[in-house]
Amino acid sequence: MMKIMLLAALTAVILSNALPEMYGSKNDGRINATAFADTTKKDPETGMIVDGNFNMVKAQCTSCHSSKLIIANRFTRDGWKQKIRWMQANHNLWDLGETEKQVLDYLEKNYSPTAGIARRAPLKDIKWYKLDQK
């Protein structure tokens, strides 16, 4: 049992020093939490990220459609604005007026395209060789 605890502690120390460098985020030796766990607070009813503009977005958007439609998409600010214009033209969405900025701020901050860390960097300077097939 002592060996397992020692191994776990050693692994934690190694990872806390190595992983931040691997993912390009040195924060005093701590692991970048966003790379490994989703720590954002989410509304239990909608599943959407909670921040200062959340209630405005919830009121404006989920009165017509499911929050899942928002969560499933990732657009730039301009892309979200185009979606709003499309809903106004085709689905009778009202003019958001002054609240449009708050809605776009929220969507851009929380549901914009993100770069993942799941893939390795592309290979460079590869020396290919011929396979000898017999």
Side-chain angles (χ1 to χ4, degrees), residues 75-88:
F75 298 113
T76 61
R77 185 183 189 89
D78 187 53
W80 282 114
K81 190 172 188 175
Q82 288 176 23
K83 290 294 174 195
I84 290 170
R85 297 293 178 262
W86 179 82
M87 288 183 274
Q88 288 170 332

Side-chain angles (χ1 to χ4, degrees), residues 9 11 14 52-53 56 66 78 82 101 113 128:
T11 302
I14 291 170
N53 290 324
M56 178 62 67
S66 169
D78 187 53
Q82 288 176 23
K101 182 183 180 320
W128 294 101

Side-chain angles (χ1 to χ4, degrees), residues 46-88:
T46 63
M48 293 169 56
I49 297 170
V50 176
D51 74 1
N53 290 324
F54 166 72
N55 288 325
M56 178 62 67
V57 174
K58 182 179 176 183
Q60 295 284 8
C61 301
T62 62
S63 60
C64 294
H65 58 73
S66 169
S67 60
K68 291 178 183 179
L69 195 56
I70 298 166
I71 295 168
N73 288 288
R74 297 276 176 176
F75 298 113
T76 61
R77 185 183 189 89
D78 187 53
W80 282 114
K81 190 172 188 175
Q82 288 176 23
K83 290 294 174 195
I84 290 170
R85 297 293 178 262
W86 179 82
M87 288 183 274
Q88 288 170 332

